[in-house]
Amino acid sequence: MDPRTLLACIDFRYITDVLTEEEAFEILQKGQVGKKEREEQMLVQGYPAYTTSCAWLGYSDDTLKQLCTEALKDGWTRFKVKVGADLQDDIRRCRLIRNTIGPEKTLMMDANQRWDVPEAVEWMSKLAEFKPLWIEEPTSPDDILGHAAISKALVPLGIGVATGEQCHNRVIFKQLLQAKALQFLQIDSCRLGSVNENLSVLLMAKKFEIPVCPHAGGVGLCELVQHLIIFDFISVSASLTNRMCEYVDHLHEHFKYPVIIEKASYMPPKDAGYSTEMKEDSVKKHQYPDGEVWKKLLAARGN
């Protein structure tokens, strides 16, 4: 779409105090410069991804080491580890992962809303030695000022705050940006409810020069968000600095047009549509209550 047509798809109500339609037009106009070259870059190189699949809570040390080693062999350079259940366990696991991937690789941490604000600052000060790029969802996703306080406290440690996967509209993102509550903005293609709402957030993030690093775990989220983040690079941000998209390696087999990952990057989809059509067989097997999967679960419960 040309910029004016694209802007007609966006609702600017409640956000004009930080981004007017004319400012958004200017962003998209600037995005026309070098657009063709960026399209070609994506087709050749893809959009950089990071893996969350190596370091879930509950994995044994051997599993952590094995998965990280295999990921390194496959070309992954960016890793995310789950933290927040037990500090000493986190220190041990983060040390193991950092020693396995080496000092030059990028490490992120995700607390999944585990902490109160003071606890988040204290906990992350103990994990700072492992040089995380960010701590994700350190506290309640609804606590904008809490995130701002954590963000301010972690600046001297060189740790950014990442959040957004639970944010359900453009106004929440507006306030997070206004409050300087995040250094990495994580849109979720489903939580925001539409392409249109996501577009407004991408444009606000560009206005504040905050990198967008989408949340993409779960069934179909990788498939959905690849379109948004590649669009962001080609037409809005025009930058890959501190930008990457999450990748989780399971459940893609249920989709007719699964994401294509090459050299730890999302390759642009070439099929029409939003990439989320599920295979009929998968839907049939998982349909409640008559699908094969549910029949087995219900039978097991009955026994």
Side-chain angles (χ1 to χ4, degrees):
M1 291 182 180
D2 67 86
R4 285 295 181 198
T5 307
L6 190 71
L7 290 175
C9 300
I10 297 172
D11 188 349
F12 284 89
R13 284 179 303 169
Y14 315 131
I15 63 171
T16 55
D17 50 331
V18 301
L19 181 74
T20 65
E21 189 168 340
E22 282 309 306
E23 287 175 317
F25 178 73
E26 287 178 22
I27 290 171
L28 291 171
Q29 278 291 82
K30 288 178 182 176
Q32 299 294 306
V33 179
K35 183 176 177 180
K36 189 64 181 172
E37 290 77 8
R38 290 192 296 277
E39 285 181 359
E40 290 170 359
Q41 181 182 341
M42 286 292 97
L43 289 168
V44 174
Q45 299 177 10
Y47 196 94
Y50 72 86
T51 177
T52 303
S53 301
C54 297
W56 298 104
L57 283 171
Y59 279 179
S60 68
D61 288 1
D62 287 343
T63 299
L64 287 174
K65 195 169 183 179
Q66 177 192 340
L67 292 175
C68 287
T69 301
E70 289 173 356
L72 287 168
K73 289 178 183 175
D74 290 337
W76 293 93
T77 60
R78 304 171 182 89
F79 299 78
K80 189 166 80 179
V81 55
K82 299 286 185 174
V83 297
D86 179 90
L87 178 57
Q88 293 309 311
D89 187 55
D90 283 349
I91 291 170
R92 183 181 53 76
R93 292 166 63 251
C94 289
R95 181 169 290 122
L96 174 66
I97 292 167
R98 179 52 87 188
N99 288 341
T100 302
I101 67 176
E104 76 285 357
K105 300 294 190 291
T106 303
L107 182 66
M108 289 81 69
M109 298 179 183
D110 185 357
N112 287 112
Q113 315 160 29
R114 252 351 232 272
W115 305 315
D116 281 359
V117 172
E119 186 182 17
V121 175
E122 182 182 0
W123 203 296
M124 286 311 299
S125 68
K126 303 285 176 53
L127 298 179
E129 65 175 288
F130 306 109
K131 306 295 182 188
L133 178 66
W134 76 52
I135 176 61
E136 184 174 329
E137 287 198 318
T139 192
S140 165
D142 300 323
D143 189 356
I144 293 166
L145 298 183
H147 275 86
I150 295 166
S151 176
K152 185 176 180 180
L154 295 184
V155 166
L157 299 176
I159 303 171
V161 167
T163 195
E165 69 180 78
Q166 303 292 337
C167 295
H168 55 278
N169 63 49
R170 63 193 181 279
V171 178
I172 302 297
F173 275 113
K174 179 189 79 167
Q175 293 181 359
L176 284 164
L177 290 164
Q178 286 175 309
K180 299 179 181 178
L182 45 67
Q183 285 72 47
F184 300 91
L185 187 150
Q186 297 177 310
I187 57 170
D188 179 289
S189 53
C190 288
R191 186 76 63 177
L192 276 170
S194 68
V195 173
N196 311 59
E197 194 81 354
N198 275 285
L199 293 177
S200 66
V201 176
L202 293 177
L203 288 161
M204 284 192 291
K206 172 60 181 174
K207 166 83 178 288
F208 283 81
E209 292 297 343
I210 294 294
V212 176
C213 300
H215 170 248
V219 183
L221 289 179
C222 295
E223 280 72 17
L224 281 160
V225 83
Q226 62 182 333
H227 300 273
L228 299 171
I229 200 60
I230 292 171
F231 165 79
D232 180 57
F233 172 66
I234 291 173
S235 297
V236 182
S237 73
S239 172
L240 293 179
T241 302
N242 272 340
R243 287 166 166 84
M244 63 193 100
C245 187
E246 184 173 22
Y247 175 70
V248 176
D249 64 6
H250 60 277
L251 300 173
H252 302 285
E253 67 273 12
H254 297 295
F255 292 85
K256 292 182 77 171
Y257 307 102
V259 292
I260 299 170
I261 297 287
E262 292 179 6
K263 297 179 181 176
S265 297
Y266 279 86
M267 301 310 295
K270 295 179 181 177
D271 296 295
Y274 211 10
S275 305
T276 52
E277 185 178 352
M278 298 188 79
K279 294 177 180 177
E280 287 183 24
D281 188 52
S282 290
V283 174
K284 191 175 179 182
K285 281 183 179 178
H286 291 84
Q287 204 153 24
Y288 180 84
D290 298 321
E292 179 185 317
V293 172
W294 279 103
K295 279 185 176 178
K296 286 181 180 177
L297 287 169
L298 294 170
R301 182 179 291 179
N303 293 334

